[in-house]
């Protein structure tokens, strides 16, 4: 009974998963948690977090203990030159602590640099998530486009079936020759072929989206059909405002700016080597010594008590000459700062170009969309006239099929232009700081 119940429960879960249709947000959330590139960046961030923790702990004193045990065996000579045995056992125990009192802020500056490095790593991870989100959104729209094209082919198949049905009737009663029925049959076969191609395109785009999500069970994967408007608004007249917003919100820009701060902090760290450092130390220790040949052995704990000692010290390390290495390290850090500033400019140029390209694509796709709408309207009118003429016997089935093909192609062009324009506008909104959604 329990086994049967478990099998039924498993079947229910399997069916539920197979019937699940993913939204765009669910796809993005899943990818951000399971994508290997995101996980790899998370490991890098974790390493930077540990580096920050290590840098902060450098300010704390270090404490260590030491225990030494030595045994000596053999012959030796005493102070008057007689040969004697030197067998002995020696034990030393000590505990010491050391702390830096002054280093011109080197430890504090190191911790600040590690914080900048961590912040930059977090921004890198955000950039990876954004790239994945954009790829998923584009592929998600491709799935929706292919599904819309499939609906167009379904309608074409239905119309072709109606034409074939009428052709069979007119051929049977002798009104039209056999060639009309044959052409109607061939036209239906062509439309079914397009329908099958559309189905394959849906499965191919779903497979590509599942691979972006790195799903193992991609065969049961499907997405929600989102109703998108047929009438689209014109794009913005300028990208200046979007570029400025992109400079403020894009993580790659923020990461580049943060790395400049990290490079500047590294210059300060390198300069601390020009200044002296002061450290303090303290410790306690004791020892035990035993001659195996001596009959006057003082007990272990007695010696530990008698030989117990303490030590306190302060030392200063004053740099005088280190072959000019410190100066070279400062110059090297300044070169790294210039490199970081150049990287920032490169990131700004790339973002600006991406915004301008998205704006150009949006305008081009919108113009293409308007032209496709006009073509769809004209071909629909031509199809209506061709259908009426065919029914009246004034035109051939070949003319009707050509008119229908033109209309179907126009419908596909409208859908393609619409989805291209929607993605371009979503991309512009993304650079303006608006999350991608449908």
């Amino acid at each position: 009974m329990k086994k049967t119940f478990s099998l039924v429960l498993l079947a229910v879960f399997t069916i539920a998963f197979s019937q699940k249709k993913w939204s765009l947000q669910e796809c993005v959330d899943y990818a951000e948690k399971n994508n290997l590139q995101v996980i790899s960046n998370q490991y890098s961030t974790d390493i930077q977090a540990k580096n920050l923790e290590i840098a902060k702990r450098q300010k704390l004193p270090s404490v260590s203990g030491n225990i030494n045990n030595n045994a000596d065996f053999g012959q030796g000579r005493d102070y008057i030159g007689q040969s004697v045995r030197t067998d002995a056992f020696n034990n030393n125990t000590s505990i010491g602590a050391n702390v830096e009192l002054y280093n011109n802020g080197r430890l504090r500056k190191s911790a600040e640099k590690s914080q900048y490095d961590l912040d930059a790593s977090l921004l890198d991870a955000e950039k990876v998530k954004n790239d994945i989100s954009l790829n998923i959104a584009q592929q998600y729209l491709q799935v929706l486009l292919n599904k819309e094209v499939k609906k167009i082919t379904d309608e074409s198949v239905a119309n072709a079936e109606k034409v074939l049905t009428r052709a069979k009737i007119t051929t049977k009663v002798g009104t039209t020759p056999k060639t009309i029925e044959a052409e109607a049959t061939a036209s239906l076969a062509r439309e079914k072929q397009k329908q099958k191609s559309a189905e394959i395109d849906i499965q191919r785009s779903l497979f590509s989206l599942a691979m972006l999500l790195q799903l193992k069970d991609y065969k049961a994967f499907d997405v929600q059909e989102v109703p998108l408007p047929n009438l689209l608004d014109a794009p913005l007249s300028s990208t200046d405002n979007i570029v400025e917003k992109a400079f403020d919100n894009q993580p790659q820009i923020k990461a580049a700016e943060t790395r400049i701060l990290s490079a500047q902090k590294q210059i300060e760290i390198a300069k601390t080597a020009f200044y002296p450092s002061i450290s303090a130390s303290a410790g306690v220790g004791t020892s035990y010594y035993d001659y195996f040949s001596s009959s006057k052995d003082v007990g272990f704990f007695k010696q530990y008590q008698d030989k117990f000692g303490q030590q306190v010290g302060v030392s200063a390390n004053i740099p005088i000459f280190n072959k000019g290495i410190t100066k070279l390290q400062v110059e090297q850090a300044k070169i790294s700062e210039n490199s970081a500033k150049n990287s920032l400019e490169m990131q700004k140029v790339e973002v600006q170009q991406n915004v301008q390209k998205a704006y150009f694509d949006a305008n081009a796709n919108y113009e293409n969309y308007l032209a496709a709408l006009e073509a769809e309207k004209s071909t629909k009118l031509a199809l209506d006239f061709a259908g009426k003429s065919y029914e009246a016997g004034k035109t051939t089935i070949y003319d009707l099929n050509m008119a229908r093909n033109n209309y179907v192609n126009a419908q596909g062009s409208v859908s393609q232009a619409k989805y291209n324009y929607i993605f371009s506008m979503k991309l512009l909104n993304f650079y303006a700081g608006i999350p991608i959604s449908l």
Side-chain angles (χ1 to χ4, degrees):
M1 183 65 182
K2 290 183 178 180
K3 184 177 181 181
T4 303
F5 177 76
S6 299
L7 292 175
V8 171
L9 190 62
L10 179 61
V12 170
F13 281 136
T14 303
I15 294 174
F17 180 79
S18 63
Q19 293 176 343
K20 172 182 172 60
K21 292 190 175 183
W22 293 54
S23 67
L24 175 60
Q25 190 59 49
E26 287 175 331
C27 291
V28 171
D29 292 342
Y30 182 88
E32 288 182 353
K33 293 179 181 178
N34 299 277
N35 185 274
L36 294 179
Q37 192 174 359
V38 173
I39 295 174
S40 177
N41 271 80
Q42 184 58 52
Y43 287 141
S44 299
T45 301
D46 292 341
I47 291 174
Q48 293 297 339
K50 294 301 180 184
N51 288 338
L52 173 59
E53 188 175 350
I54 291 171
K56 288 182 177 180
R57 295 194 178 191
Q58 292 295 333
K59 297 180 181 180
L60 300 176
S62 59
V63 181
S64 61
N66 184 39
I67 300 177
N68 291 320
N69 293 290
N70 297 298
D72 298 324
F73 303 94
Q75 294 283 345
R77 294 185 181 276
D78 60 12
Y79 65 95
I80 61 174
Q82 293 182 339
S83 178
V84 296
R85 294 288 299 179
T86 59
D87 302 338
F89 173 76
N90 181 36
N91 168 268
N92 292 282
T93 303
S94 63
I95 297 176
N98 186 281
V99 62
E100 287 202 52
L101 300 178
Y102 174 78
N103 48 42
N104 198 35
R106 178 174 54 84
L107 299 181
R108 173 180 55 80
K109 294 170 183 176
S110 295
E112 292 173 352
K113 180 184 182 301
S114 295
Q115 182 65 63
Y116 288 136
D117 292 339
L118 174 59
D119 293 341
S121 182
L122 289 170
L123 290 166
D124 288 341
E126 186 178 346
K127 171 66 166 58
V128 171
K129 291 180 181 180
N130 284 346
D131 291 343
I132 292 174
S133 298
L134 288 175
N135 291 335
I136 288 175
Q138 186 175 23
Q139 192 59 43
Y140 197 99
L141 286 172
Q142 185 63 48
V143 174
L144 297 183
L145 169 62
N146 290 339
K147 288 190 174 186
E148 190 165 313
V149 171
K150 170 63 168 51
K151 293 178 182 179
I152 296 173
T153 61
D154 291 343
E155 183 180 346
S156 298
V157 169
N159 290 330
E161 288 175 342
K162 291 179 182 178
V163 172
L164 177 60
T165 300
R166 184 179 183 279
K168 286 181 178 180
I169 295 174
T170 56
T171 301
K172 186 175 182 181
V173 299
T175 307
T176 55
K178 269 281 189 181
T179 55
I180 300 299
E181 181 181 351
E183 174 57 26
T185 302
S187 177
L188 176 60
R190 289 193 294 269
E191 297 302 331
K192 286 186 175 180
Q193 182 184 13
K194 294 178 182 178
Q195 184 185 49
K196 178 57 67 176
S197 296
E199 292 176 356
I200 294 173
D201 288 340
I202 292 174
Q203 295 304 317
R204 182 181 290 112
S205 58
L206 282 172
F207 173 78
S208 298
L209 180 55
M211 293 301 98
L212 279 176
L213 300 178
Q214 296 175 350
L215 292 176
K216 295 181 179 179
D217 186 15
Y218 62 87
K219 293 182 179 180
F221 176 69
D222 200 0
V223 300
Q224 296 177 3
E225 295 189 28
V226 182
L228 298 175
N230 290 321
L231 296 177
L232 304 176
D233 297 329
L236 302 174
S237 58
S238 174
T239 62
D240 294 340
N241 190 36
I242 297 178
V243 171
E244 292 301 321
K245 289 183 178 179
F247 286 167
D248 292 336
N249 64 56
Q250 288 301 297
Q252 60 267 41
I253 300 293
K254 293 180 179 179
E257 292 172 342
T258 304
R259 287 193 167 92
I260 291 176
L261 297 176
S262 176
Q264 291 172 344
K265 194 60 64 175
Q266 181 59 44
I267 295 176
E268 296 179 14
I269 294 171
K271 287 182 177 179
T272 61
F274 287 123
Y275 297 87
S277 61
I278 301 174
S279 61
S281 62
V284 295
T286 187
S287 63
Y288 169 78
Y289 197 90
D290 177 31
Y291 278 108
F292 294 150
S293 60
S294 175
S295 59
K296 297 180 180 181
D297 178 35
V298 180
F300 180 84
F301 293 104
K302 176 64 174 172
Q303 287 195 38
Y304 254 49
Q305 181 178 1
D306 294 341
K307 296 179 180 180
F308 181 75
Q310 304 85 37
Q311 170 265 327
V312 176
V314 176
S315 61
N317 182 18
I318 302 173
I320 298 176
F321 177 71
N322 68 342
K323 308 172 188 178
I325 292 176
T326 299
K327 182 180 178 181
L328 292 174
Q329 288 174 337
V330 172
E331 293 175 354
Q332 187 180 51
K334 289 181 179 179
I335 294 173
S336 297
E337 180 191 15
N338 292 332
S339 176
K341 289 180 178 179
N342 185 66
S343 295
L344 174 61
E345 294 304 316
M346 291 173 59
Q347 291 294 340
K348 285 185 175 181
V349 169
E350 182 179 354
V351 168
Q352 185 175 16
Q353 290 177 347
N354 289 339
V355 172
Q356 291 173 340
K357 182 179 183 302
Y359 177 73
F360 176 84
D361 290 342
N363 280 280
N365 291 328
Y366 185 72
E367 294 296 329
N368 193 24
Y369 171 72
L370 295 179
L373 282 178
E374 288 297 321
E376 182 188 33
K377 186 187 298 184
S378 300
T379 54
K380 178 67 169 63
L381 183 61
L383 177 60
D384 292 339
F385 281 128
K388 293 176 181 178
S389 297
Y390 176 71
E391 291 176 359
K394 296 180 180 181
T395 187
T396 67
I397 191 173
Y398 301 102
D399 296 326
L400 178 63
N401 287 338
M402 182 178 295
R404 181 181 297 108
N405 287 336
N406 291 338
Y407 178 61
V408 169
N409 291 335
Q411 284 181 303
S413 296
V414 169
S415 298
Q416 183 71 60
K418 179 177 73 173
Y419 280 92
N420 287 343
Y421 175 71
I422 289 174
F423 178 74
S424 298
M425 290 304 299
K426 294 296 181 183
L427 190 57
L428 281 175
N429 290 338
F430 164 77
Y431 283 116
I434 302 173
I436 290 182
S437 62
L438 294 177

